[in-house]
Amino acid sequence: MDDHPMMRDGLRSTIELENDMSVIGEAVDGAQAIEMYAALRPDVTLLDLQMPNVDGLQALTAIRKSQPNASVVVFTIYPGDARVTQALTLGATSYLLKSASSEEIIGAIRKAASGRQVIASEISSELANYHGSAVLTVRELNVLRLAKEGMSNRLIAESLFIAEDTVKSHMKSILAKLGASDRTHAVTIAERRGFIDP
């Protein structure tokens, strides 16, 4: 399930070359992915995270809720450890980057079909680098998203209906957790690690 036609065409061509695999459906967004999964019940679902309307994480949640044993391979451009951890926590079987070779994609599909997990090597390294590091709270993420938009502490406080000193406290915590030197640096790190969208 991917919203880019060229990506879907390439994946379909790669999969259809295999004698024991076939593509039984394609979706252009997360809402359609959920509907098609319910109707077709594929052995393995390839799912992009960045899709219009309903994103990949929401689609993953819905698919796994309807079928707890669903095999879902997340196939995305986002390597950030926070995003990977969230997808795996929500039940993704595997996590591949779109830079993966045809052999890696086919191998991941085969392994997912037999219940085995595949995580791209670049992602495994990223997870190892940040294993055990502090996670941002929902409130800290909200503060950081507004800071990314260029809002001052005062404007963030007004938007979130909290005191300006509370915003300062959250920002101090964010900088410490991310090892950032300032707000801009924190946004850059948070985007790279997948806490917020680029």
Side-chain angles (χ1 to χ4, degrees):
M1 319 295 186
D2 194 291
D3 60 327
H4 296 98
M6 286 182 64
M7 179 60 72
R8 291 197 312 274
D9 290 346
L11 283 170
R12 187 186 332 100
S13 298
T14 297
I15 293 166
E16 295 286 355
L17 287 172
E18 301 300 311
N19 295 329
D20 59 340
M21 294 185 187
S22 62
V23 176
I24 61 170
E26 297 177 30
V28 298
D29 63 26
Q32 190 179 29
I34 295 165
E35 290 172 15
M36 291 185 75
Y37 182 85
L40 300 172
R41 295 291 175 154
D43 294 326
V44 177
T45 301
L46 285 178
L47 188 65
D48 190 3
L49 292 185
Q50 193 70 27
M51 291 190 292
N53 304 319
V54 175
D55 71 24
L57 291 174
Q58 292 169 312
L60 172 61
T61 302
I63 288 169
R64 292 283 295 185
K65 185 175 181 181
S66 71
Q67 179 57 44
N69 295 324
S71 291
V72 180
V73 175
V74 170
F75 188 64
T76 185
I77 60 170
Y78 298 111
D81 68 292
R83 196 171 273 110
V84 177
T85 301
Q86 188 175 9
L88 294 175
T89 300
L90 291 173
T93 310
S94 298
Y95 200 104
L96 287 182
L97 295 178
K98 288 187 177 179
S99 57
S101 68
S102 297
E103 293 78 17
E104 289 173 307
I105 295 166
I106 294 300
I109 292 170
R110 288 191 199 288
K111 287 178 180 172
S114 63
R116 291 181 290 160
Q117 186 177 69
V118 174
I119 299 176
S121 57
E122 310 95 305
I123 294 169
S124 296
S125 301
E126 185 87 0
L127 289 173
N129 287 340
Y130 296 106
H131 179 70
S133 63
V135 176
L136 298 181
T137 66
V138 171
R139 180 63 86 185
E140 289 168 345
L141 289 171
N142 290 335
V143 167
L144 195 55
R145 285 185 188 106
L146 294 175
K148 178 185 174 183
E149 293 176 16
M151 288 190 179
S152 65
N153 287 345
R154 182 179 59 78
L155 289 176
I156 292 172
E158 289 173 6
S159 294
L160 297 177
F161 304 103
I162 57 177
E164 189 172 347
D165 283 344
T166 303
V167 173
K168 290 177 184 175
S169 175
H170 285 313
M171 192 56 69
K172 183 176 178 182
S173 175
I174 291 166
L175 296 178
K177 286 180 178 181
L178 296 180
S181 54
D182 56 38
R183 293 159 67 111
T184 304
H185 189 208
V187 167
T188 302
I189 293 170
E191 287 178 338
R192 180 174 48 78
R193 291 188 56 191
F195 285 111
I196 59 176
D197 290 334

